[in-house]
Amino acid sequence: MRFAVLSDIHANLEALTKVLQKAYESEPDLIACVGDIVGYGPYPNECIDLIRQQCACVVLGNHDGGAVGRVPPKSFNTEGRIALEWTRDQLTTSNREFLQNLPASVVSYNATFVHASPRLPLDWEYVATLRTATEMFEHFSTAYCCIGHTHIPSILAADGTVNSIRDGQKHLINVGSVGQPRDGNPRASFALLDTETSAASIIRVEYDVSATATAIRQAGLPEFLAKRLQYGI
Ligand code: ZN
């Protein structure tokens, strides 16, 4: 099975459009989204519509939950909270229902898909250190577990190997963020995973960062949300 796996789109339509174009070049069997379609960015409905059309597998992110009352506002920082209040007012009834019904995790073709961590999918813990990442392997039974949430891409095998797939090992793949990368690289991030040939890679894609920043400002969203995209922070 050849997957393209997207995460943390955060209502960034320019980035999502470019990532989907790039993903289709490798003719995946299935496109999966591991959450946070909305929050921070200016195009929540457009991004949900595209994800609904293109992704056969979608799981809930904390911002998706925050936009429809499934995750309490106090768990977000100030900019995140302001953007979620704005997002809540934009959502169509159909898209609100879609977010309302997203599952916390999905297992498909020897891969587990979950937004933050397979240990406690609805606790939104950050798998941000090698130590935490190592603890994850006992919490999924498939060969691959795809996550997002930190907005920092990485591939880790259970034997400690990074950035490559090891035969017979489990793998934790953080696919990075489509719409708000935070690894100092402003290019959109997603992952390609082939469970038959045992190959995985992180792909980076240029998009029009300034167009998204302008739309964020025009929507009246916090300035920092526009500025950070330029730096990938
Ligand atoms: Zn996110």
Side-chain angles (χ1 to χ4, degrees):
M1 193 69 169
R2 286 170 308 152
F3 292 102
V5 190
L6 284 47
S7 188
D8 296 278
I9 291 131
H10 287 297
N12 185 337
L13 185 64
E14 282 83 3
L16 177 59
T17 306
K18 286 284 191 279
V19 160
L20 285 170
Q21 277 170 10
K22 186 75 181 169
Y24 279 120
E25 287 175 14
S26 52
E27 300 180 340
D29 299 308
L30 193 156
I31 303 180
C33 172
V34 292
D36 277 4
I37 307 169
V38 302
Y40 300 134
Y43 297 107
N45 286 308
E46 292 84 346
C47 289
I48 298 172
D49 290 344
L50 255 183
I51 292 294
R52 290 175 74 170
Q53 288 161 19
Q54 309 294 335
C55 298
C57 163
V58 186
V59 300
L60 181 77
N62 53 320
H63 286 255
D64 305 321
V68 294
R70 292 175 72 178
V71 176
K74 66 172 173 15
S75 57
F76 298 94
N77 64 22
T78 307
E79 286 91 3
R81 228 172 14 243
I82 292 167
L84 282 177
E85 278 163 22
W86 179 87
T87 301
R88 194 177 313 142
D89 293 341
Q90 307 292 318
L91 289 179
T92 63
T93 305
S94 167
N95 283 340
R96 190 176 308 119
E97 278 170 15
F98 175 75
L99 298 183
Q100 206 56 266
N101 291 307
L102 285 176
S105 66
V106 168
V107 174
S108 172
Y109 297 96
N110 211 15
T112 300
F113 299 95
V114 61
H115 181 64
S117 94
R119 174 161 54 193
L120 295 161
L122 294 174
D123 267 26
W124 316 113
E125 68 176 320
Y126 285 88
V127 182
T129 64
L130 185 58
R131 182 180 175 161
T132 312
T134 305
E135 291 166 8
M136 294 301 132
F137 289 104
E138 62 182 283
H139 297 283
F140 61 96
S141 52
T142 50
Y144 306 94
C145 177
C146 294
I147 62 171
H149 195 47
T150 63
H151 298 207
I152 296 174
S154 63
I155 299 173
L156 178 69
D159 68 358
T161 307
V162 292
N163 292 328
S164 64
I165 296 300
R166 303 277 285 171
D167 274 350
Q169 296 285 321
K170 285 184 184 177
H171 299 83
L172 185 69
I173 301 171
N174 191 317
V175 305
S177 171
V178 170
Q180 194 193 81
R182 292 180 191 160
D183 61 344
N185 177 349
R187 290 180 297 159
S189 176
F190 75 105
L192 291 172
L193 168 64
D194 188 330
T195 59
E196 270 146 48
T197 62
S198 299
S201 52
I202 303 292
I203 313 292
R204 303 305 288 258
V205 186
E206 300 258 6
Y207 76 95
D208 191 345
V209 173
S210 61
T212 299
T214 300
I216 286 172
R217 292 182 179 111
Q218 281 171 350
L221 290 163
E223 171 62 21
F224 176 60
L225 297 178
K227 207 164 234 173
R228 68 185 306 170
L229 297 179
Q230 190 185 336
Y231 303 102
I233 58 170

